[in-house]
Amino acid sequence: QKEVEQNSGPLSVPEGAIASLNCTYSDRGSQSFFWYRQYSGKSPELIMFIYSNGDKEDGRFTAQLNKASQYVSLLIRDSQPSDSATYLCAVNVGGGADGLTFGKGTHLIIQP
Amino acid sequence: NAGVTQTPKFQVLKTGQSMTLQCAQDMNHNSMYWYRQDPGMGLRLIYYSASEGTTDKGEVPNGYNVSRLNKREFSLRLESAAPSQTSVYFCAILLTHNYGYTFGSGTRLTVV
């Protein structure tokens, strides 16, 4: 059974601070990891992907992967009100076409 | 959501009615997916198609059928709609350069 766990929140963070979102996964064979942002009433939008242990940075976003601990995180620096959304963690277990497994998402609120 | 087009955007059905949700892509990718998203349940895979002419069941296939008409189009059919199928349905394609998804804009279906 593939499982991806996230704290549903809401996670409330002051504007300008660092928002830290966490995700754990159950299948040690998981190969690729994704973070999606979903605004209310909209479809998920891919914002980060990571394959290797360590950090990957893209602008204000940093994805962190620790395969030994089966843990993925997303850091958002200098948080803005426009970052308020639900963040979905997703895992591709086999690396192939049989689909991503999603967590239920963390609702992030950036307080002005 | 350029590249993945879903129709219709909204639909209300009566219990027992049938309908087909349409998905078309113009990105020439092989793999296409149907997910449903429910509050508190996250995104769950219904069916997927790894390539033209093939389809496979996902996590929640009961009550649904699919057709991969050609490389561009992947449809989802509800033969006899039930209130439990009230949900938001997303079509997605697999991007081969990072193995993440691009999603369509979604279909909000209500079964009364």
Side-chain angles (χ1 to χ4, degrees):
Chain A
Q1 180 76 14
K2 308 171 191 177
E3 292 185 350
V4 179
E5 300 287 342
Q6 295 180 256
N7 189 322
S8 62
L11 174 65
S12 186
V13 174
E15 182 176 358
I18 296 175
S20 178
L21 304 164
N22 303 315
C23 172
T24 59
Y25 59 94
S26 62
D27 196 316
R28 285 197 171 274
S30 300
Q31 298 190 12
S32 48
F33 307 85
F34 305 86
W35 283 100
Y36 285 82
R37 177 177 62 199
Q38 187 175 25
Y39 293 114
S40 181
K42 302 296 185 183
S43 58
E45 171 193 14
L46 180 64
I47 55 172
M48 289 289 290
F49 61 92
I50 186 167
Y51 304 145
S52 304
N53 277 330
D55 295 359
K56 179 181 179 182
E57 186 174 319
D58 184 0
R60 295 187 297 113
F61 298 99
T62 299
Q64 299 176 316
L65 174 61
N66 184 325
K67 288 188 177 181
S69 299
Q70 296 175 239
Y71 179 92
V72 190
S73 64
L74 178 71
L75 302 178
I76 307 174
R77 290 182 299 282
D78 188 23
S79 297
Q80 303 296 310
S82 59
D83 294 325
S84 297
T86 296
Y87 289 80
L88 306 173
C89 174
V91 175
N92 188 321
V93 174
D98 58 347
L100 302 184
T101 299
F102 285 83
K104 295 178 181 179
T106 297
H107 183 40
L108 175 66
I109 300 171
I110 306 300
Q111 295 179 320
Chain B
N1 306 103
V4 184
T5 302
Q6 282 186 243
T7 56
K9 293 191 183 305
F10 301 93
Q11 183 72 50
V12 178
L13 289 179
K14 294 182 179 179
T15 298
Q17 287 185 318
S18 63
M19 79 161 294
T20 300
L21 283 65
Q22 306 286 355
C23 177
Q25 56 135 337
D26 60 7
M27 301 177 75
N28 202 37
H29 288 288
N30 286 320
S31 302
M32 300 182 73
Y33 305 81
W34 278 105
Y35 281 83
R36 59 178 290 174
Q37 187 174 37
D38 304 290
M41 299 297 293
L43 281 159
R44 293 181 292 169
L45 181 62
I46 306 170
Y47 271 94
Y48 68 99
S49 171
S51 62
E52 184 179 355
T54 68
T55 60
D56 286 283
K57 294 179 180 180
E59 180 186 356
V60 289
N62 292 342
Y64 305 95
N65 287 301
V66 290
S67 296
R68 184 72 183 268
L69 305 170
N70 47 54
K71 192 170 186 179
R72 288 189 63 248
E73 299 171 289
F74 187 38
S75 62
L76 179 71
R77 183 163 177 83
L78 287 69
E79 291 291 351
S80 179
S84 61
Q85 294 178 304
T86 293
S87 188
V88 181
Y89 291 85
F90 289 104
C91 176
I93 60 173
L94 184 69
L95 304 175
T96 51
H97 69 278
N98 64 20
Y99 289 95
Y101 289 160
T102 287
F103 285 89
S105 57
T107 296
R108 188 173 296 274
L109 175 66
T110 302
V111 183
V112 297

